[in-house]
Amino acid sequence: DTAVSQTPKYLVTQMGNDKSIKCEQNLGHDTMYWYKQDSKKFLKIMFSYNNKELIINETVPNRFSPKSPDKAHLNLHINSLELGDSAVYFCASSLRWDTQYFGPGTRLTVL
Amino acid sequence: QKEVEQNSGPLSVPEGAIASLNCTYSDRVSQSFFWYRQYSGKSPELIMSIYSNGDKEDGRFTAQLNKASQYVSLLIRDSQPSDSATYLCAVNKVEYGNKLVFGAGTILRVKS
């Protein structure tokens, strides 16, 4: 059973398009996160939700909008994609403030 | 100053040797520390967590924490080629909603 899953695994799109990445966890966790890993492999948090409530909102362009329909799902919608958005996006989850477990990642390429 | 600093490497060790990975952090109030391993093209995988000063051992891995020096290390004994990966040090800032702050990672290469 996959603990934290993301779709799609790869996403190739043109500049200016709008795209979404979906994340689901079946671990019974109550907190979910989005991280971005850039080309230099630096991993940085973007957002986190606890029980569907936004907890962390780092300095991220407002073109990025997370949505958590329930505790098990956290989606990321990106408007007006730019070249600099190309990266690997990881979803993670945890039980309250405990250890975070990562999904397999979504590699986004903006052309 | 970066919040979490690691030597980017690569750190090359022969098979069977001890690999020593180091990490320093700037925020004295940090309470939880993690080591994640990331293979190329894969997601970070937790290998060790440590919360108290001293050593914590798990199989071939030992994490060491010194809060006074703001220093965390990971020792890998009997290194294997399969240990070749990037090792990410992470510090948890609970006061900011369980925010994990990562270092840039150290590339480890174990040569057979």
Side-chain angles (χ1 to χ4, degrees):
Chain A
D1 286 345
T2 303
V4 183
S5 60
Q6 294 178 228
T7 54
K9 189 171 176 62
Y10 299 97
L11 188 51
V12 181
T13 188
Q14 299 288 329
M15 268 197 311
N17 283 351
D18 301 339
K19 291 293 178 185
S20 292
I21 306 171
K22 295 186 176 182
C23 178
E24 177 181 0
Q25 54 91 8
N26 62 5
L27 296 168
H29 289 167
D30 57 3
T31 308
M32 297 183 73
Y33 312 80
W34 278 112
Y35 286 85
K36 179 181 180 180
Q37 189 168 44
D38 60 25
S39 57
K40 295 183 179 179
K41 308 300 183 187
F42 189 63
L43 192 61
K44 188 171 181 183
I45 192 165
M46 300 172 70
F47 302 102
S48 84
Y49 272 76
N50 176 260
N51 283 320
K52 301 192 298 176
E53 180 185 350
L54 182 65
I55 300 297
I56 297 173
N57 185 351
E58 290 291 284
T59 308
V60 177
N62 57 14
R63 297 182 294 104
F64 290 79
S65 53
K67 283 188 172 55
S68 181
D70 55 57
K71 286 196 307 183
H73 297 84
L74 180 61
N75 304 322
L76 183 65
H77 187 76
I78 315 170
N79 289 326
S80 303
L81 278 156
E82 300 178 357
L83 291 175
D85 297 332
S86 295
V88 181
Y89 292 84
F90 287 102
C91 177
S93 73
S94 69
L95 184 62
R96 300 183 196 89
W97 309 143
D98 207 344
T99 304
Q100 295 181 30
Y101 295 90
F102 285 78
T106 295
R107 182 174 294 276
L108 171 64
T109 303
V110 182
L111 304 175
Chain B
Q1 181 186 9
K2 292 180 183 176
E3 290 191 78
V4 180
E5 298 215 46
Q6 296 180 253
N7 187 325
S8 61
L11 172 66
S12 292
V13 299
E15 184 176 356
I18 296 176
S20 177
L21 305 163
N22 304 315
C23 172
T24 58
Y25 60 95
S26 61
D27 190 347
R28 285 193 170 273
V29 301
S30 300
Q31 294 295 320
S32 308
F33 307 87
F34 304 86
W35 284 99
Y36 284 82
R37 177 178 62 198
Q38 187 175 25
Y39 292 113
S40 182
K42 301 295 184 182
S43 60
E45 172 193 10
L46 180 73
I47 52 174
M48 289 289 285
S49 60
I50 187 165
Y51 307 96
S52 305
N53 278 329
D55 295 359
K56 179 182 177 182
E57 186 175 318
D58 184 0
R60 295 186 297 112
F61 300 97
T62 298
Q64 299 174 317
L65 173 61
N66 184 325
K67 290 186 178 180
S69 301
Q70 296 174 240
Y71 177 90
V72 191
S73 66
L74 180 70
L75 300 178
I76 307 175
R77 289 181 299 282
D78 188 23
S79 295
Q80 302 297 309
S82 59
D83 294 326
S84 297
T86 297
Y87 289 80
L88 303 169
C89 173
V91 174
N92 193 349
K93 305 186 86 166
V94 175
E95 69 275 20
Y96 295 107
N98 204 29
K99 171 181 168 179
L100 270 185
V101 179
F102 283 86
T106 298
I107 298 171
L108 174 65
R109 293 182 182 151
V110 181
K111 298 181 177 180
S112 57

